[in-house]
Amino acid sequence: MAAPLSVEVEFGGGAELLFDGVKKHQVTLPGQEEPWDIRNLLVWIKKNLLKERPELFIQGDSVRPGILVLINDADWELLGELDYQLQDQDSILFISTLHGG
Amino acid sequence: MVWQVLEGLSRESAKRLRFVPGIVCIDEGAACGLSPEARAKALAEMKLILQTVGFPWHVVALEEVFDLPPSVLRCFAQEPVGTEGAYKAAVDSFLQQQHVLGAEGAGDSPSLAQGEEQLSWPCTQDPQNPQSPDRPPTAAQTEALSRLFDSVKTLTAKEELLQALRTHLILHVARTHGYSKVMTGDSCTRLAIKLMTSLALGRGAFLAWDTGFSDERHGDVVVVRPMREHTLKEVAFYNHLFAVPSVFTPALDTKAPEKASIHRLMEAFMLRLQDQFPSTVSTVYRTSEKLVKAPRDGCAAGPPGPRCLLCMCALDIDTADSATAFGAQTPLHLSQTQPPTPPPTAPCCSAGMGRVQGCCGGARPCEREDPRARVIEQLCYGCRVNMKDLPSLDPLPPYILAEARLRSQRACIEQQIQEYLVEDSDDEAQTGES
């Protein structure tokens, strides 16, 4: 049982092209049964924020290789990648290092 | 991405390195199909950042490719050390500049900044206004550029063509403003991808030049890649943590599906492999470090061999070799071309070769049946494969076609006077050529 969370989702390096050019999104995640983790967040982003071409951002369960994820300015690999549990006021940054968006 | 990297570099260099860099930004909006408003917006953002950096900067539109002189495709020998006077003058002006900088205090000094490159071959020039004048490209040029890129059939060939044009333009700007080195921001990841892509495109012979640290194929201007040891991840983190301002502009292959071009495919392949095997990129990079630029056998002492028209690498073609795939390709190509209507009299003796009269008097070895074949035979294997996707050579910028014509005329003249040349001296060959 998780309370609604307010997190800031930011996109850089061209990834913002898939989100109407908006770089920063302050989102409020609704309360739900399981705690929010990155996996769920990605699903939520795909459903609610991603405007076009989901395959350019998400691949299967995770982000496409070549997109860096920073959670509170730290590499997500240090925090457990998809299993990291979101806290309130977290800042998630997706930087695309790919050539084509 | 490249701009992000350049930014990072310029920040560091203000503190440590001892040369005066300038920044070149190429506006490729026309090739990517951007609207004029989008281009203007990106350009304005770019200028804002460039101005805060403080180095002399030049913004060049890709359309200026149509104004380039054919000399950009020639390889100039590296300038000799130069007279004592030139060196001293360079040192003097450098000291003067440092003095003024010291007097003004630290910070932006665009007023006296000159485009001088102090590293190894100082070349003097008159102090110029550091900001190049703003000349928006004409609509006709933009139109011509879009036509050129639209006529190319595949995205792979488009990207290669864009890269070639971009290189020529940068070379031209560097030569005009007296820079002897060009630094590009290719990162480790990017170079590893480029290595694999070059292999797939048939440019295996030139890997050492395409991905090595320094690339001297243009002679007087050396292209160096100082960022080649940093992976993209490092660069991205650096930029984020140090709040390096960046401008993002859509490129040719933005939002293209994965299999749209060889470049995209290779990028996806490498990055996916890197995900599962984290040492992929560094392994490929280390392998590229082992590549050595060896001259072709026999030409170490002799005159430099012919160079590819577009990429300016020494030609790797052995026309006599019929065993390779390339050898099989050439006769097929030639048999497919139909000779056009006979060209008007003496076309190959016009344009700059006026003094040699009657070279085509009897037989006509200079008449190429097809101007396309004439251009194609001056390209290396990789460039030829790309040209296959360009159905007609007309939209190409005039400097390429002019240089091709000049080279083939020169070759034909050389052939004709071959029997009159005395063995040992190369001087006659020189006078015969130009």
Side-chain angles (χ1 to χ4, degrees):
Chain A
M1 185 48 212
L5 288 179
S6 171
V7 293
E8 187 190 9
V9 177
E10 206 180 324
F11 301 99
E16 65 269 18
L17 270 192
L18 299 172
F19 296 90
D20 258 351
V22 181
K23 289 197 172 183
K24 285 194 204 233
H25 300 253
Q26 190 72 33
V27 299
T28 312
L29 303 171
Q32 61 170 27
E33 299 311 315
E34 325 130 352
W36 280 99
D37 58 11
I38 301 284
R39 198 175 275 119
N40 298 346
L41 177 67
L42 287 180
V43 174
W44 189 91
I45 289 180
K46 182 172 177 180
K47 212 165 34 165
N48 299 11
L49 285 182
L50 201 49
K51 298 287 180 255
E52 52 183 323
R53 312 292 302 278
E55 75 276 7
L56 289 184
F57 187 72
I58 301 206
Q59 193 175 54
D61 221 3
S62 171
V63 289
R64 204 171 155 210
I67 299 195
L68 302 174
V69 185
L70 275 81
I71 302 174
N72 297 333
D73 281 352
D75 193 354
W76 73 334
E77 286 176 23
L78 301 169
L79 300 166
E81 289 204 12
L82 288 172
D83 297 317
Y84 168 77
Q85 308 237 328
L86 291 175
Q87 324 273 330
D88 198 27
Q89 299 307 320
D90 267 351
S91 163
I92 323 281
L93 168 63
F94 296 93
I95 304 184
S96 165
T97 60
L98 299 169
H99 220 91
Chain B
M1 291 297 129
V2 177
W3 312 131
Q4 274 185 317
V5 169
L6 273 178
E7 274 288 348
L9 182 61
S10 60
R11 298 238 162 160
E12 290 170 39
S13 66
K15 296 171 198 155
R16 265 182 279 159
L17 305 175
R18 270 191 245 121
F19 52 81
V20 180
I23 301 184
V24 158
C25 166
I26 298 197
D27 170 25
E28 298 169 0
C32 308
L34 283 184
S35 69
E37 298 83 33
R39 285 176 71 180
K41 182 162 158 280
L43 219 56
E45 281 175 27
M46 184 75 68
K47 283 191 189 159
L48 210 59
I49 300 185
L50 290 175
Q51 269 156 7
T52 49
V53 170
F55 298 132
W57 49 270
H58 317 271
V59 173
V60 188
L62 192 62
E63 286 88 335
E64 295 190 25
V65 144
F66 289 98
D67 289 333
L68 288 181
S71 59
V72 97
L73 293 175
R74 289 179 212 146
C75 164
F76 295 110
Q78 205 165 16
E79 284 165 23
V81 179
T83 61
E84 273 296 311
Y87 181 63
K88 280 192 182 149
V91 171
D92 273 338
S93 58
F94 179 65
L95 290 174
Q96 231 177 25
Q97 185 182 353
Q98 291 298 87
H99 181 69
V100 171
L101 276 182
E104 282 179 4
D108 302 328
S109 58
S111 51
L112 200 57
Q114 307 173 23
E116 270 183 58
E117 186 37 87
Q118 302 282 346
L119 259 186
S120 49
W121 304 115
C123 36
T124 54
Q125 58 166 60
D126 303 322
Q128 298 177 359
N129 191 9
Q131 276 81 19
S132 51
D134 234 340
R135 275 167 303 126
T138 65
Q141 283 176 329
T142 312
E143 158 87 43
L145 194 66
S146 343
R147 206 162 6 126
L148 169 60
F149 278 91
D150 285 337
S151 71
V152 182
K153 287 193 274 185
T154 61
L155 188 57
T156 307
K158 269 190 217 189
E159 294 201 30
E160 287 292 302
L161 183 63
L162 180 62
Q163 221 159 40
L165 294 179
R166 192 193 293 159
T167 312
H168 295 164
L169 200 52
I170 293 183
L171 204 57
H172 178 72
V173 172
R175 282 191 180 143
T176 328
H177 294 275
Y179 292 97
S180 66
K181 303 232 174 352
V182 174
M183 294 194 289
T184 61
D186 296 313
S187 63
C188 179
T189 317
R190 203 45 74 201
L191 280 181
I193 296 174
K194 189 167 184 191
L195 192 126
M196 303 293 282
T197 314
S198 302
L199 281 173
L201 289 172
R203 294 185 54 84
F206 313 127
L207 282 180
W209 285 272
D210 281 345
T211 57
F213 174 68
S214 75
D215 179 2
E216 315 94 5
R217 67 182 112 149
H218 305 290
D220 53 343
V221 176
V222 182
V223 178
V224 293
R225 302 182 177 100
M227 304 291 289
R228 68 192 293 262
E229 292 175 18
H230 305 292
T231 59
L232 268 179
K233 188 166 177 176
E234 292 172 25
V235 172
F237 271 68
Y238 177 92
N239 289 340
H240 174 70
L241 293 173
F242 288 85
V244 175
S246 64
V247 177
F248 170 75
T249 52
L252 253 191
D253 56 356
T254 299
K255 293 201 203 163
E258 194 179 277
K259 304 209 176 110
S261 76
I262 295 185
H263 302 76
R264 292 282 280 167
L265 190 60
M266 200 54 80
E267 180 183 44
F269 170 67
M270 290 289 289
L271 291 176
R272 206 171 297 159
L273 212 55
Q274 172 76 5
D275 233 17
Q276 295 163 10
F277 304 101
S279 59
T280 305
V281 165
S282 49
T283 309
V284 176
Y285 166 70
R286 295 274 161 241
T287 312
S288 82
E289 274 191 330
K290 296 184 196 161
L291 293 169
V292 163
K293 299 171 200 161
R296 296 195 71 190
D297 19 314
C299 83
R307 291 182 167 256
C308 171
L309 190 63
L310 284 181
C311 66
M312 284 174 270
C313 293
L315 281 186
D316 58 343
I317 307 294
D318 236 345
T319 44
D321 184 4
S322 57
T324 62
F326 173 71
Q329 181 195 64
T330 328
L332 182 67
H333 172 82
L334 284 179
S335 70
Q336 275 175 354
T337 60
Q338 299 132 11
T341 54
T345 51
C348 87
C349 296
S350 55
M353 308 282 284
R355 77 182 102 109
V356 185
Q357 304 293 337
C359 79
C360 287
R364 300 223 154 225
C366 306
E367 302 295 322
R368 290 289 167 228
E369 278 155 6
D370 184 8
R372 189 187 170 90
R374 180 178 59 208
V375 173
I376 297 276
E377 70 186 9
Q378 293 178 26
L379 299 176
C380 66
Y381 179 67
C383 294
R384 286 188 205 204
V385 170
N386 278 331
M387 279 296 138
K388 270 203 258 185
D389 288 329
L390 193 62
S392 144
L393 292 184
D394 293 328
L396 278 179
Y399 71 98
I400 297 182
L401 301 171
E403 179 69 13
R405 220 180 343 209
L406 189 63
R407 284 191 198 183
S408 73
Q409 283 168 359
R410 193 179 289 173
C412 117
I413 296 286
E414 237 184 31
Q415 206 181 11
Q416 298 226 301
I417 64 175
Q418 198 59 41
E419 54 196 57
Y420 303 111
L421 290 178
V422 176
E423 274 294 304
D424 284 325
S425 73
D426 284 333
D427 294 352
E428 266 107 325
Q430 296 295 340
T431 48
E433 281 172 11
S434 56

